[in-house]
Amino acid sequence: MRLSILDHGHSRRTKLFLTLTSTVSRVDSPDIVKLLLYRPGFLTRPLLELTADAMRGPSYWTTAEREYLAMCTAQLHRCPFCIDTHAELTRIAGHGEIDPDRPASARPPLSAVREFLDTISRTPDRADPAGVADLPEQALVEALRVNLVWNIVNRLANAFGFTLREGQLHSGTRALHRFGYRFPGFLLADGARPDGSDDAVADLRHSVLHRPATTAPALRLAAASGDPLPEPWQAYAAAVRDASYTITDSDIDKLLAAGPNEDQVFEVTVAAAVGAALESFDAGMSALGHTSTS
């Protein structure tokens, strides 16, 4: 990946876990796993709590349909790693229920909610629930949470240069499906747990944007909201938010050459990705008549 810390900066227990699982599976650990197990107290714990419930908790949408929505979000962000991963997960979870290569195979409510999610992801200011007015409100909230998760992860996958290596599509997707997007608790024991509410979205927002970290909260909040930033951050944070698929190795190299260290780049990237995803989520919730926790 484009930040060496994501490959080599893990705690000793995490390195042992990655080595063991790679030895057993005979496949290198996927980049998504390495990302999630780096600094879990900053991003991963609240993100996984949200993800496990959104993707495998009780829902109006089947498991395969939620994986299909994740794949559609990946297509929107032009993330090959995530497109291939969620297409395979759709096949695994659906047993023929839906064909990821044939959008027409989706049942009409899923096609309608996909259009709604695509709109709020591209243009949050144009959120319009008219096309999904016949769906239960809870179904729409559930779909918005699926979309929130993958609007974050796809931006990070693009920015950090996720690559799907030989054997990972088969082993990695089946492991994710089997464990339901959950990791052993001892791998997530990184610092104090956030002051928990019953709202995983609020916990994620607070953990990434407000808690003490390497960078100042003001810098992360500006990256998240699109407010002006000092150089060298301005253009980079905007790319993470608006066109993460355009980020290249040289963009990261220029940042590091300008002075920030890898942890600072990691935090600002995560903040920009989370902020952009929350903007879409908040717009969708507002269109349904909800006020999100800021």
Side-chain angles (χ1 to χ4, degrees):
M1 283 181 279
R2 290 174 178 142
L3 294 180
S4 62
I5 54 174
L6 298 179
D7 282 313
H8 309 297
H10 300 94
S11 67
R12 179 177 295 181
R13 61 178 175 272
T14 300
K15 288 179 181 177
L16 289 172
F17 173 81
L18 292 172
T19 300
L20 176 61
T21 54
S22 295
T23 300
V24 171
S25 66
R26 300 180 182 179
V27 176
D28 288 341
S29 297
D31 290 342
I32 181 63
V33 173
K34 293 179 182 179
L35 168 74
L36 291 174
L37 292 182
Y38 180 72
R39 304 246 335 253
F42 178 68
L43 169 69
T44 309
R45 279 196 309 234
L47 180 61
L48 285 182
E49 287 177 7
L50 177 62
T51 304
D53 182 63
M55 299 304 291
R56 293 298 183 267
S59 178
Y60 175 89
W61 310 102
T62 69
T63 299
E65 287 176 332
R66 284 174 272 176
E67 293 293 352
Y68 176 78
L69 290 176
M71 183 195 75
C72 294
T73 302
Q75 291 171 337
L76 192 69
H77 290 285
R78 307 185 200 181
C79 177
F81 177 96
C82 298
I83 292 169
D84 291 346
T85 297
H86 290 290
E88 185 68 7
L89 280 161
T90 301
R91 297 183 185 99
I92 294 168
H95 305 289
E97 167 194 342
I98 183 171
D99 183 348
D101 297 320
R102 290 194 312 113
S105 67
R107 61 188 178 114
L110 186 64
S111 298
V113 85
R114 175 190 178 175
E115 291 184 14
F116 174 62
L117 297 178
D118 281 358
T119 298
I120 68 163
S121 294
R122 288 193 182 100
T123 51
D125 58 329
R126 298 180 187 174
D128 183 0
V132 289
D134 293 337
L135 287 173
E137 181 177 307
Q138 184 59 30
L140 297 176
V141 172
E142 291 162 357
L144 284 169
R145 288 186 166 229
V146 171
N147 196 53
L148 170 59
V149 168
W150 303 112
N151 269 333
I152 295 169
V153 173
N154 277 270
R155 286 180 168 96
L156 298 181
N158 282 334
F160 295 140
F162 282 16
T163 300
L164 196 59
R165 298 172 182 84
E166 184 177 358
Q168 290 179 344
L169 185 63
H170 182 275
S171 64
T173 52
R174 279 152 184 80
L176 277 176
H177 181 61
R178 183 166 64 253
F179 294 111
Y181 293 92
R182 295 186 183 278
F183 285 87
F186 73 91
L187 294 174
L188 306 182
D190 175 26
R193 294 187 65 85
D195 296 331
S197 65
D198 292 329
D199 186 345
V201 176
D203 285 345
L204 175 66
R205 191 189 306 265
H206 175 75
S207 184
V208 170
L209 302 181
H210 297 284
R211 298 184 78 206
T214 303
T215 53
L219 177 64
R220 282 175 273 142
L221 284 165
S225 64
D227 289 344
L229 284 165
E231 293 300 345
W233 297 114
Q234 180 69 36
Y236 175 73
V240 174
R241 288 174 51 84
D242 302 327
S244 60
Y245 57 87
T246 66
I247 295 172
T248 66
D249 293 358
S250 64
D251 293 316
I252 302 296
D253 291 342
K254 288 177 184 176
L255 272 180
L256 296 174
N261 63 38
E262 290 201 350
D263 262 320
Q264 291 170 326
V265 173
F266 173 76
E267 291 180 5
V268 170
T269 306
V270 171
V274 168
L278 284 170
E279 182 181 355
S280 296
F281 177 78
D282 291 346
M285 292 294 284
S286 179
L288 300 182
H290 293 261
T291 301
S292 295
T293 303
S294 59

